[in-house]
Amino acid sequence: MEISEIIEELEFNNEEAVEYLNNEYSKIRSGRVNPIIFKDIKVNIYDDFMLLNQISNIQIIDARTVFIKPFDKSSINEIIAAINKSSIGVNPILEEGFIRLSFPMITEETRIKNVKNAKNFLEKAKTKIRTNRENARKQIKQLVSISEDLIESYNEDVEKNNKQYNSKLEKIFEEKEKELLKI
């Protein structure tokens, strides 16, 4: 394996860690409902599991209210069952041809808990970055055709990359923390 391939793999894996953090943060609810929280809800319909957003229209009415209008009205009960099984924490209300979800106001206690969860996700992403760094260092050490000075130089490049991605993760966390604590 060439050094350029090692660095390229490191970059790719570190970008995955950033993507992981952004994905997890999109699921943490701040003051306003985000349609991404419905992304993983699977509905047992037509003898198969389908994603909620594939079988219905999800409409954000205001900061705390969502309307879900199924494309097929006969699937409403299955959608309600899937929402009840999910971890979004609301009870669906059946209305004329659609489902209404009213999310509760976020309390200060919930905001603090959400920041704590965000911090945990940050630590997991940082762990991924550290693991990527160690893997790259091992691969560099296994290169037999280069001198100790070059190995040290490449390790410095890896460390610089590590610091760059850690600061990127910290910045993402700081933005999410501000969003979560904003009333």
Side-chain angles (χ1 to χ4, degrees), residues 133-175:
R133 177 188 64 194
E134 293 309 312
N135 289 340
R137 283 184 170 170
K138 284 178 187 174
Q139 290 174 338
I140 289 170
K141 199 172 186 178
Q142 290 173 351
L143 295 174
V144 290
S145 62
I146 60 173
S147 69
E148 286 294 319
D149 290 340
L150 278 175
I151 288 176
E152 189 60 37
S153 172
Y154 293 143
N155 281 334
E156 287 173 12
D157 290 344
V158 167
E159 189 61 38
K160 192 165 94 173
N161 181 284
N162 188 61
K163 286 180 182 178
Q164 174 190 347
Y165 275 94
N166 274 329
S167 66
K168 197 179 214 181
L169 294 175
E170 284 290 341
K171 185 177 179 189
I172 293 169
F173 169 74
E174 288 169 10
E175 289 173 10

Side-chain angles (χ1 to χ4, degrees), residues 58-121:
I58 299 171
Q59 185 179 12
I60 308 296
I61 303 304
D62 59 37
R64 300 179 339 161
T65 308
V66 177
F67 286 171
I68 298 174
K69 189 170 185 177
F71 299 137
D72 179 5
K73 304 260 190 262
S74 66
S75 64
I76 282 186
N77 290 331
E78 289 83 0
I79 292 173
I80 289 174
I83 292 170
N84 284 330
K85 285 182 189 174
S86 72
S87 62
I88 60 173
V90 293
N91 290 322
I93 300 167
L94 179 59
E95 303 223 347
E96 190 68 32
F98 65 91
I99 301 164
R100 180 170 45 94
L101 302 174
S102 294
F103 288 80
M105 288 289 292
I106 294 182
T107 63
E108 185 67 24
E109 181 182 315
T110 305
R111 289 178 194 283
I112 291 169
K113 184 180 133 211
N114 287 346
V115 168
K116 197 174 190 178
N117 288 339
K119 186 74 170 171
N120 288 337
F121 290 130

Side-chain angles (χ1 to χ4, degrees), residues 21-41 52-53 58-68 86-90 101-104 106 114 176 179-180:
L21 187 65
N22 284 326
N23 185 37
E24 292 302 322
Y25 279 3
S26 70
K27 297 175 187 173
I28 298 175
R29 188 172 153 238
S30 57
R32 184 165 180 78
V33 177
N34 188 336
I36 199 96
I37 65 170
F38 302 106
K39 181 178 93 171
D40 296 328
I41 297 178
L52 179 60
N53 63 359
I58 299 171
Q59 185 179 12
I60 308 296
I61 303 304
D62 59 37
R64 300 179 339 161
T65 308
V66 177
F67 286 171
I68 298 174
S86 72
S87 62
I88 60 173
V90 293
L101 302 174
S102 294
F103 288 80
I106 294 182
N114 287 346
K176 187 65 177 181
E179 178 188 330
L180 291 171

